[in-house]
């Protein structure tokens, strides 16, 4: 057990409160394992009617997984990184298949692993502080935790736009894209929690009473450009389309895209292309686990984490440095499935549902 998650059960509601404020509640292996243990226990407890996931204090809901730990462990022995991904993806899958109602309060920064524990929930609450993103291509990673499943199913090419640029969506945009189901102002969250605790069997009523109209979705005005300029699954084509467009918006997104790892961008586009056709979330998690164990051992992942998060120089040197240098053969090696003896597996309690 870990103090980095406050786990409790009260009046029929199981509560998971992320409690690592100095790291914006970035997930560790122990946090994932602790949350899964509680969820499995509550799954079999008839007194628990709903589960609420939020954060205890500090800014942000969850900044993602502890990638600094992953980078350091992958420099020597990837076993620690593999254990983290195994535990995290089991948690993601357990929430995706959970038979009881789940609520995530995405108040503040919700990125990477934070998205992974939010999007599987039945109800996803955004506030005026919400900033949701999958920024992994900036550190040489890829949008895991089910990103290949969720983002490939967004309208138009919004998912591809998000993973290539790391765009941060606010509450209005999250609500518009159904990444959030409700909008509640931060000042109303305490009242919402009280309503849930009083009537966990009437979550829709509690959420409806606490919700207000979501802000306008700024992304809506760019949907046509996103669909046009990010239409291809080839990174070179996307860059060419942005270069040929004369709008300030395209120039800005192109400048952002050029700071990302070409390898990660190509990995992300392929992940979404394949994820769109996967038959189950279990298959998605199995594929992402095989991919994650290899990507964390690449030059770009170690370089990206050091340049942006450890040394904080902000100037990663990618290898290959250009999209043209990333070959299909490189991607085939990263995407190869693992043998059954090494493959990811869900909790037995959850494997028949998804």
């Amino acid at each position: 057990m870990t103090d980095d998650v406050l786990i409790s059960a009260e009046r029929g509601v199981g509560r998971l409160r992320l409690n690592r404020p100095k790291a914006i509640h970035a997930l560790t292996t122990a946090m994932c394992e602790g949350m899964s243990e509680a969820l499995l226990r509550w799954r079999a407890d008839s007194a628990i009617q709903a589960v609420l996931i939020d954060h205890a204090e500090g800014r942000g809901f969850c900044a993602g997984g502890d990638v600094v730990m992953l980078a350091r462990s992958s420099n020597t022995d990837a076993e620690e990184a593999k254990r983290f991904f195994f535990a995290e993806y089991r948690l993601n899958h357990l929430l995706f298949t959970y038979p009881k109602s789940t609520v995530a309060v995405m108040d503040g920064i919700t990125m990477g692993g934070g998205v992974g524990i939010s999007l599987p929930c039945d109800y996803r609450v955004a506030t005026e502080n919400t900033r949701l993103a999958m920024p992994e291509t900036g550190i040489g990673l890829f949008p895991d935790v089910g990103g290949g499943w969720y983002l490939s199913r967004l309208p138009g090419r919004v998912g591809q736009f998000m993973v290539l640029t790391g765009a941060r969506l606010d509450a209005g945009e999250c609500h518009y894209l159904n990444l959030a189901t409700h909008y509640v102002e931060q000042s109303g969250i305490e009242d919402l929690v009280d309503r849930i605790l009083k009537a966990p069997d009437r979550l829709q009523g509690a959420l409806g009473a606490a919700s207000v109209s979501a802000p306008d979705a700024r992304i809506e005005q760019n949907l046509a450009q996103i669909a046009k300029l990010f239409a291809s699954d080839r990174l070179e084509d996307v860059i060419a389309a942005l270069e040929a467009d004369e709008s300030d918006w395209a120039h800005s997104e192109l400048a952002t895209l050029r700071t990302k790892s070409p390898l990660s961008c190509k990995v992300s586009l392929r992940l979404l292309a394949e994820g769109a056709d996967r038959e189950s979330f279990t298959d998605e998690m199995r594929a992402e686990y095989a991919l994650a164990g290899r990507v964390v051992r690449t030059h770009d992942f170690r370089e990206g984490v050091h340049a942006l998060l450890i040394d904080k120089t902000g100037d990663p040197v990618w290898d290959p440095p250009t999209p043209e240098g990333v070959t299909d053969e490189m991607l085939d090696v990263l995407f190869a499935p693992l043998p059954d003896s090494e493959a990811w597996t869900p909790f037995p309690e959850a494997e028949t549902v998804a």
Side-chain angles (χ1 to χ4, degrees), residues 98-111:
Y98 209 62
K100 300 184 179 185
S101 296
T102 51
V103 182
V105 180
M106 307 182 296
D107 181 32
I109 292 172
T110 304
M111 297 184 183

Side-chain angles (χ1 to χ4, degrees), residues 167-285:
R168 296 188 178 196
L169 306 185
D170 63 22
E173 293 167 321
C174 288
H175 191 265
Y176 176 79
L177 295 168
N178 199 38
L179 295 170
T181 59
H182 295 81
Y183 175 70
V184 178
E185 292 182 347
Q186 200 278 333
S187 59
I189 294 298
E190 187 175 346
D191 177 63
L192 170 62
V193 172
D194 287 341
R195 290 176 182 273
I196 291 173
L197 291 174
K198 289 177 181 176
D201 58 335
R202 297 198 296 272
L203 287 179
Q204 291 188 15
L207 288 159
S211 298
V212 295
S213 297
D216 292 338
R218 294 177 299 175
I219 197 172
E220 186 176 5
Q221 64 188 14
N222 295 323
L223 289 181
Q225 281 182 292
I226 289 172
K228 174 186 175 183
L229 301 178
F230 289 81
S232 178
D233 286 329
R234 289 188 72 250
L235 180 59
E236 294 90 339
D237 292 344
V238 173
I239 291 173
L242 289 167
E243 288 175 336
D245 193 280
E246 298 181 355
S247 68
D248 291 341
W249 182 87
H251 292 167
S252 175
E253 299 305 330
L254 177 62
T256 298
L257 180 53
R258 282 179 167 153
T259 68
K260 310 301 182 182
S261 159
L263 176 62
S264 290
C265 287
K266 285 202 171 185
V267 165
S268 299
L269 285 175
R270 178 161 167 175
L271 180 71
L272 267 61
E274 294 185 357
D277 295 327
R278 284 199 221 285
E279 294 184 359
S280 72
F281 194 71
T282 302
D283 290 343
E284 182 65 36
M285 291 287 87

